[in-house]
Amino acid sequence: SSDCSSFGRSPLAIDSQAAIQAQKQWTVSKQPLQFETGDHAASSLQMYNTGNYLRVVAPAGQGSLLGSFKYKGSILPVVYLDIHVPGEHTIDGESSSAEVQLVHLPTSGPAVAVALRLHESGDSSSSHGNSWVSSILSVLPAANTHVVVETQSVKKLHPALSRGDAARYFRYDGTLTRAPCREAEWLVLQEPGTITSHQLSMLRAALPQAPSRSTPFSNPSSFIGVGIQELPAAHQADEKLAVDILATSHAQPSKGNNAQLRRVHMDT
């Protein structure tokens, strides 16, 4: 299965108070998570509908079409993004209506993923909704198919991307939640974006196998952590990603260590 839940590590039910207590055990370098998205539309993207979630993939070697983020001194291009309805991570028991996961996938070693939670807004129309989501709604592929799409800049997806930085986020070591089930360093933004009820209903209709509610893992011991594991610099994306997206055999991460979580409050 393309679901990575058998490892019991991601997604996570984040307890902010436990994360704050865990943070006190570490010396934290307080630097904001920075985003570079550009203003241009992104073309030649492949959008896959698995029936459970959507995946938008940049052409091999062109991860910058989906933007990039700077983390621990490295510029990490987004190789693909996944769209989940409802959202997968929770914060203090609060789930989100949708979640977009920006994934940097090096050729080897852990992935780095940024989770952007989207809350449902009161506006039911699509004209005043999330403009990036609107740009994909007219071309949503049927379940188990894919299409080539052009989207607006991902800058339109979330306030942090538009602004270019995120000052508050939660970090933990887990796995990607969908194939490839690789070890991953997760950065879950505290600040939510928005999506309208109309946009949500269209996404739900396109994803007949999506779960009705989020079921993240909760493990208090995961907050007893270790120091930061430095990641390698960005590498070229795996060119087989697009053709292997629905494969059922993937590299298996270790089950040995629980996810390590901390909340990082950045100085601006």
Side-chain angles (χ1 to χ4, degrees):
S1 169
S2 61
D3 186 334
C4 310
S5 61
S6 62
F7 300 103
R9 298 176 60 184
S10 297
L12 199 66
I14 296 171
D15 180 327
S16 62
Q17 291 304 308
I20 291 170
Q21 291 302 312
Q23 183 184 355
K24 294 177 181 178
Q25 302 178 36
W26 296 307
T27 300
V28 179
S29 175
K30 295 184 176 181
Q31 298 178 349
L33 182 61
Q34 297 178 314
F35 300 96
E36 178 58 51
T37 55
D39 297 312
H40 56 280
S43 59
S44 302
L45 301 174
Q46 297 279 341
M47 180 161 59
Y48 296 81
N49 183 343
T50 69
N52 181 280
Y53 64 99
L54 296 171
R55 176 166 293 183
V56 180
V57 184
Q62 299 184 49
S64 59
L65 287 179
L66 290 173
S68 60
F69 53 96
K70 183 176 182 180
Y71 183 60
K72 290 197 250 185
S74 294
I75 304 297
L76 308 179
V78 177
V79 176
Y80 66 86
L81 61 82
D82 285 349
I83 305 168
H84 296 279
V85 178
E88 295 195 309
H89 292 84
T90 64
I91 298 178
D92 296 330
E94 181 183 48
S95 59
S96 58
S97 300
E99 181 174 311
V100 179
Q101 300 169 354
L102 312 179
V103 180
H104 169 71
L105 192 69
T107 53
S108 61
V112 186
V114 177
L116 308 172
R117 300 176 308 123
L118 303 179
H119 287 181
E120 184 175 358
S121 69
D123 189 343
S124 61
S125 70
S126 58
S127 59
H128 297 93
N130 187 305
S131 58
W132 186 88
V133 173
S134 292
S135 71
I136 69 169
L137 290 179
S138 62
V139 291
L140 287 176
N144 301 311
T145 66
H146 74 279
V147 295
V148 177
V149 299
E150 178 176 334
T151 72
Q152 290 193 19
S153 166
V154 291
K155 175 179 287 190
K156 306 290 188 180
L157 172 59
H158 188 279
L161 302 186
S162 177
R163 195 172 54 244
D165 64 77
R168 296 173 179 265
Y169 55 90
F170 298 86
R171 176 209 172 275
Y172 76 96
D173 295 324
T175 67
L176 296 175
T177 64
R178 297 296 189 276
C181 297
R182 190 185 290 189
E183 299 274 357
E185 183 169 7
W186 279 97
L187 310 171
V188 183
L189 269 59
Q190 184 181 59
E191 176 186 16
T194 59
I195 187 171
T196 68
S197 57
H198 175 78
Q199 292 173 327
L200 279 172
S201 65
M202 292 188 69
L203 288 174
R204 290 190 189 107
L207 299 170
Q209 300 166 28
S212 59
R213 62 186 180 88
S214 56
T215 54
F217 295 99
S218 178
N219 185 356
S221 66
S222 68
F223 302 127
I224 302 174
V226 296
I228 294 175
Q229 175 187 2
E230 292 296 330
L231 298 180
H235 295 288
Q236 182 177 354
D238 184 352
E239 295 184 0
K240 294 179 61 181
L241 175 64
V243 295
D244 289 348
I245 183 173
L246 299 179
T248 58
S249 177
H250 311 285
Q252 306 298 301
S254 169
K255 297 183 182 180
N257 295 321
N258 288 325
Q260 311 298 332
L261 176 69
R262 69 170 165 213
R263 180 172 187 256
V264 184
H265 176 235
M266 302 300 182
D267 295 328
T268 57

